Amino acid sequence: MTLFGCDEDMNRQTLDLDRLLRPVVTDMGYVCWGIEHLRQGRSSLLRIYIDGEQGITLEDCERVSHRLSGVLDVEDPIGGEYLLEVSSPGLDRLLFTPAQFEQFAGETVKVRLSRTLDTRKRITGTIQRVSGDTVILNEAGREFHIPLQDIDRARIVPREF
């Protein structure tokens, strides 16, 4: 799993959380879309995005939250206080992996970069493809080749109906 917007320690901890929690979510019949572990002062927020073929209900989130709370209490992988949040990825879902970028090829995405690319830190464009460790976006006819490691956050822009 490629994680964007994480420093090395946070990235390592998020990968450890992924290895611990993803199988639990999958065994419950859901897709673990992504995991965010965000520092918030002395505490942190652990957000797990789940998905399913029929969509996700509040009851699904409660069920997964209850199960993950038990695992987290026993394993205790996070030092200090944290808040666990289980959520649907929604229409404006974050993209966490190269495979997710590929899945949403043709969709518009807002990307926030961790460093500048052609004097820019934000690009909104259509996902053309993923080539190796690079996402290719098209913004108003201009192609941007963005290394995955430079993506801080990427979110789908929902289509208007």
Side-chain angles (χ1 to χ4, degrees):
M1 176 177 195
T2 301
L3 302 168
F4 310 120
C6 296
D7 62 36
E8 191 172 323
D9 289 339
M10 196 64 132
N11 195 20
R12 188 174 16 263
Q13 185 172 34
T14 303
L15 285 171
D16 290 343
L17 288 166
D18 186 77
R19 282 192 278 282
L20 176 66
L21 302 176
R22 182 174 297 274
V24 176
V25 173
T26 303
D27 288 348
M28 294 180 71
Y30 301 101
V31 172
C32 183
W33 183 260
I35 296 175
E36 286 184 303
H37 185 210
L38 309 166
R39 288 189 181 120
Q40 298 179 325
R42 297 181 128 190
S43 63
S44 63
L45 171 65
L46 176 59
R47 185 177 292 135
I48 314 294
Y49 294 98
I50 62 171
D51 209 355
E53 288 183 22
Q54 305 298 319
I56 295 299
T57 66
L58 179 59
E59 291 77 22
D60 294 323
C61 292
E62 290 172 348
R63 190 175 308 116
V64 172
S65 178
H66 180 72
R67 178 78 56 89
L68 293 180
S69 289
V71 171
L72 291 165
D73 286 347
V74 169
E75 298 294 328
D76 197 25
I78 300 173
E81 295 181 26
Y82 66 93
L83 174 65
L84 172 63
E85 181 181 297
V86 177
S87 175
S88 161
L91 293 176
D92 64 339
R93 64 187 57 213
L94 291 170
L95 300 179
F96 293 89
T97 68
Q100 291 172 346
F101 278 95
E102 289 174 351
Q103 179 181 344
F104 283 91
E107 297 292 332
T108 302
V109 65
K110 286 184 179 183
V111 175
R112 184 176 69 204
L113 302 170
S114 57
R115 59 184 183 174
T116 58
L117 177 66
D118 284 345
T119 71
R120 302 188 49 195
K121 291 199 84 166
R122 297 181 189 275
I123 299 170
T124 300
T126 303
I127 302 169
Q128 300 300 298
R129 66 189 175 284
V130 177
S131 177
D133 62 352
T134 302
V135 175
I136 293 97
L137 295 183
N138 183 308
E139 181 187 62
R142 184 172 176 204
E143 200 168 82
F144 289 90
H145 293 250
I146 305 171
L148 289 166
Q149 68 190 23
D150 292 346
I151 297 175
D152 187 39
R153 192 172 189 89
R155 185 179 292 280
I156 294 290
V157 176
R159 294 180 185 193
E160 294 184 23
F161 297 98

